[in-house]
Amino acid sequence: LASMERGNVYMNNCHMLPQYHFIKGQQGRTWCKHVLRFENLTSHFNKLMREWNLDIRMESGTKSNAKSDDACRKLSEKKLEHVYAMQLVPKVRKMYAIDFSHLGDSLKLA
């Protein structure tokens, strides 16, 4: 986060870049017309493929490593406050404010 705070948002092959910048660029250019939200990814992806007459479908629950990888399974079972240092949450909120405002709040504490 410190590197990003200094303006290095394109680090790690752009994996740290706010997701909204893949939808709309910093200069306002719209890069994609169809935003598929994670909550309905499978059904919306399949609908889009049908609309474009493409014979590609996504199946629900086919993420092959989600439950087989013990570390991933254990991580997914934890509450957010047990995964992240809570003092980092304000920094993450600031750094990814554009994502939270356009794509929803994934850091809501249960």
Side-chain angles (χ1 to χ4, degrees), residues 91-104:
K91 287 185 175 198
V92 171
R93 285 194 180 285
K94 180 181 177 187
M95 195 65 53
Y96 295 99
I98 195 166
D99 284 349
F100 292 124
S101 68
H102 291 282
L103 303 173

Side-chain angles (χ1 to χ4, degrees), residues 4-44:
M4 288 186 67
E5 287 176 323
R6 290 190 301 273
N8 187 12
V9 296
Y10 299 105
M11 59 193 253
N12 297 331
N13 201 23
C14 293
H15 288 305
M16 304 303 289
L17 191 66
Q19 293 298 297
Y20 191 71
H21 292 305
F22 291 99
I23 297 167
K24 191 168 211 141
Q26 291 178 326
Q27 284 74 37
R29 179 178 177 184
T30 299
W31 292 104
C32 61
K33 295 177 183 176
H34 304 282
V35 177
L36 304 177
R37 298 187 60 92
F38 188 75
E39 296 85 0
N40 301 327
L41 180 60
T42 302
S43 62
H44 289 181

